[in-house]
Amino acid sequence: MLRNAMRLFSVIVGVSFSWAHPALAEDKSANSESLKCEGIRELKALVEKQQSILAQNNAYAVNLTELLAAGYMPAACPDGSRASVSGSNFVGGCHFTYGLVYVVNNPQTGDFAFETVALGVDGTPSEGMELYITRIVSRYHDFIESYMYHNGVYSDVDLNACSQAR
């Protein structure tokens, strides 16, 4: 009797894990983490492009048109589609729209700053995610801050947490 009960138990456990495996693959926290990394990689690329523009022109690009002309373009989805955007200061990637929040250029005082944002697209798994990077360069500071809001909850973001591979 005990042997039959154990056999039945092992069958139930095996069937449970076969059902649970697809559910584990769709775990929202893992999906959220990969989406966060997508946003971080694309924002880091935007920051790097702004840094190269500053080095060449002694000023940051003040709008997205200048960044696009300099070669910045976030990756599209594997099927080639992009998130639709509203506004000229945003460009669509796969799961986010990317843009500039503000830019400060003051070569006379040596103060330069900008903030960039990745906004999750409504109706997609990235909905409710907002990632920000603020970059300040001056005679006194060389500062970068990164943070996010996920459904209104604030957290700091480690820009080195995600690999550069796409």
Side-chain angles (χ1 to χ4, degrees), residues 80-162:
S81 65
R82 292 184 175 280
S84 62
V85 297
S86 60
S88 62
N89 224 20
F90 283 90
V91 64
C94 185
H95 294 101
F96 294 90
T97 60
Y98 301 90
L100 292 170
V101 177
Y102 68 83
V103 177
V104 173
N105 287 314
N106 193 337
Q108 292 80 17
T109 63
D111 296 318
F112 302 94
F114 70 91
E115 184 172 56
T116 186
V117 64
L119 300 173
V121 177
D122 291 345
T124 71
S126 66
E127 182 175 8
M129 294 179 84
E130 300 175 30
L131 292 139
Y132 295 88
I133 297 178
T134 303
R135 179 80 168 116
I136 299 171
V137 176
S138 73
R139 290 179 288 174
Y140 308 107
H141 300 85
D142 191 342
F143 177 77
I144 192 162
E145 179 184 30
S146 53
Y147 58 96
M148 77 176 287
Y149 291 97
H150 192 183
N151 295 322
V153 177
Y154 174 90
S155 62
D156 289 323
V157 170
D158 178 1
L159 294 177
N160 298 314
C162 302

Side-chain angles (χ1 to χ4, degrees), residues 30-43:
N31 191 17
S32 174
E33 207 49 41
S34 66
L35 288 172
K36 178 177 145 184
C37 284
E38 176 186 325
I40 288 171
R41 282 190 301 270
E42 299 302 341
L43 283 183

